[in-house]
Amino acid sequence: MKLALKIWRQNNAKAEGKMVDYAIDNIEPDMSFLEMLDILNDELIVKGEDTVAFDHDCREGICGMCSLYINGEAHGPDRLVTTCQLHMRKFKDGDTIYIEPFRAKAFPVIKDLVVDRGAFDRIQQSGGFVSVNTSGNTIDANTIPIPKHDADKAFDAATCIGCGACVATCKNSSAMLFVAAKVSQFALLPQGKIEATDRVLNMVSQMDAEGFGNCTNTGACEVECPKGISLEYIAQMNREYLSASLKG
Ligand code: SF4
Ligand code: FES
């Protein structure tokens, strides 16, 4: 396949960015999107040009690093996949592909397509954990009975990989789907009940402090989430938040 690429280039958060044109040839349909970018960068190195910076780590849909906006969609045109799981067979020979970083005030550009998602880490640090007493005998996890439905719902929430596609897709740059998943994965389990009140209040407060926008229930986040995190978790978090506020 022969493709025309239009890629966002920006030296740092303060520099002005612009779309730059690149032509690329000999792309196989079974290559991944990131392999296609690797080939472009190899060619740029041979020409002595600055390579395109993009984030990646696991390349198998686990780490949430590969945050690219492709032809106007977070993680590109496929559903329920991350950019690293997107294959070039989703495009046609001769296509023009627009590649941009995830755009949000709370995700400043570091370089080109790499953004700083440290805001998500700080939200996690403010409450996305459970405290466990590890002195003495360790309690076997199976001694705490958990209804299957609750375990399944908690597991589904825990599949959020923190990629930020929900924020990049939302017209308000809201992080509600991410925070809701992180609150719910604990709120649904007995181990998470002890710190439940502080957790939801602290995480929502940190989310607001980081400059994410408000949720207006448009649902774009759910559509673009590569892990299929449901809007139901936002409702779950709102219930947790109301109950925590009344206790406070
Ligand atoms: S909720 Fe979905 S889109 Fe948002 S960070 Fe988690 S996995 Fe990514
Ligand atoms: S590189 Fe890890 S999810 Fe894509």
Side-chain angles (χ1 to χ4, degrees):
M1 294 159 77
K2 196 171 180 170
L3 301 161
L5 306 177
K6 290 184 180 287
I7 303 181
W8 184 258
R9 304 298 313 257
Q10 183 174 348
N11 272 335
N12 55 57
K14 299 226 164 79
E16 250 185 51
K18 61 174 182 188
M19 299 300 279
V20 177
D21 291 345
Y22 298 94
I24 193 159
D25 204 349
N26 292 323
I27 297 300
E28 298 290 334
D30 291 338
M31 281 177 183
S32 76
F33 199 84
L34 297 188
E35 283 171 322
M36 183 274 292
L37 289 179
D38 289 338
I39 289 173
L40 172 70
N41 275 343
D42 284 347
E43 290 178 3
L44 293 177
I45 289 168
V46 170
K47 286 191 220 160
E49 291 180 27
D50 186 26
T51 52
V52 177
F54 64 94
D55 245 343
H56 59 100
D57 188 8
C58 71
R59 297 200 177 203
E60 52 185 346
I62 296 169
C63 72
M65 295 291 285
C66 54
S67 43
L68 296 184
Y69 219 68
I70 302 163
N71 283 350
E73 286 189 82
H75 297 298
D78 216 351
R79 293 277 82 86
L80 298 174
V81 297
T82 51
T83 297
C84 59
Q85 297 172 305
L86 177 67
H87 284 89
M88 296 312 295
R89 54 181 169 267
K90 289 285 161 185
F91 302 91
K92 294 192 301 295
D93 184 37
D95 271 0
T96 298
I97 307 178
Y98 290 78
I99 310 169
E100 298 169 79
F102 279 5
R103 297 187 192 279
K105 194 174 84 182
F107 290 166
V109 170
I110 295 173
K111 185 173 188 319
D112 300 335
L113 305 171
V114 179
V115 298
D116 180 356
R117 281 167 298 148
F120 270 13
D121 295 335
R122 291 186 289 276
I123 292 171
Q124 280 283 74
Q125 285 155 9
S126 72
F129 52 82
V130 288
S131 300
V132 177
N133 184 357
T134 54
S135 62
N137 292 334
T138 309
I139 302 168
D140 189 287
N142 292 328
T143 58
I144 305 170
I146 299 169
K148 174 88 168 72
H149 176 264
D150 291 351
D152 287 349
K153 296 297 282 179
F155 183 84
D156 286 349
T159 60
C160 164
I161 54 173
C163 65
C166 44
V167 173
T169 299
C170 175
K171 63 178 180 167
N172 310 316
S173 299
S174 167
M176 285 285 271
L177 196 64
F178 164 76
V179 180
K182 298 303 174 192
V183 165
S184 301
Q185 68 178 358
F186 294 124
L188 290 157
L189 298 176
Q191 295 93 327
K193 302 274 187 230
I194 301 153
E195 292 150 316
T197 303
D198 285 347
R199 177 180 306 113
V200 68
L201 295 177
N202 290 345
M203 290 182 83
V204 169
S205 153
Q206 189 65 35
M207 172 180 78
D208 291 341
E210 296 289 351
F212 292 104
N214 292 325
C215 173
T216 49
N217 296 313
T218 48
C221 53
E222 183 186 55
V223 174
E224 296 290 353
C225 172
K227 298 297 164 186
I229 302 291
S230 161
L231 287 178
E232 276 176 40
Y233 291 107
I234 295 183
Q236 167 90 32
M237 181 175 77
N238 286 340
R239 288 194 295 275
E240 293 288 322
Y241 188 82
L242 180 63
S243 142
S245 305
L246 293 175
K247 278 182 204 156

